[in-house]
Amino acid sequence: MQKLTVKEEERMSFFWNKGALFVKDILEFYSEPKPHFNTISTMVRSLEERGFLSHTKFGCTFQYFPVVTAEEFRKGKLSGLVSKYFDNSYLGVVSTLVKDEKIPVEELKRLIEEIENP
């Protein structure tokens, strides 16, 4: 999956949280000074060209909607992180989280129990 800049990810979060939007709707999420309409429009078209969004035409305007879900994006980011920093080892990720005390051993045991006995 392609990467997103911080600004692109922020704009995608609008779609993931609200659904289909017109560019003018996106502007409402910003406080003053708001970005220029053309700036937002260019970014949205770029996201569409890269396969993150699609649109429905309403007269002379477009309503954009997400094609990639937030869950799909998160999974792609996680896969990239595991590949880049943990040599494709999810066990290495979990081991690091446990060793760094980000996940208590008891919580890990409870998770294993839930997986084994759904």
Side-chain angles (χ1 to χ4, degrees), residues 47-59:
L47 289 167
E48 181 178 31
E49 289 170 7
R50 293 171 47 213
F52 287 94
L53 298 174
S54 190
H55 72 269
T56 303
K57 187 173 182 177
F58 290 92

Side-chain angles (χ1 to χ4, degrees), residues 83-98:
S83 172
K84 183 174 182 177
Y85 296 107
F86 294 93
D87 197 30
N88 286 321
S89 171
Y90 283 86
L91 183 59
V93 174
V94 173
S95 175
T96 298
L97 292 172
V98 171

Side-chain angles (χ1 to χ4, degrees), residues 17-35:
N17 293 327
K18 302 292 183 181
L21 298 165
F22 295 97
V23 172
K24 67 180 176 67
D25 298 329
I26 298 169
L27 284 170
E28 298 303 316
F29 300 127
Y30 290 94
S31 57
E32 295 295 337
K34 294 180 185 280

Side-chain angles (χ1 to χ4, degrees), residues 101-112:
E101 298 180 7
K102 303 293 184 194
I103 298 177
V105 174
E106 296 77 28
E107 195 173 317
L108 186 59
K109 287 177 182 177
R110 192 169 54 248
L111 177 62
I112 291 168

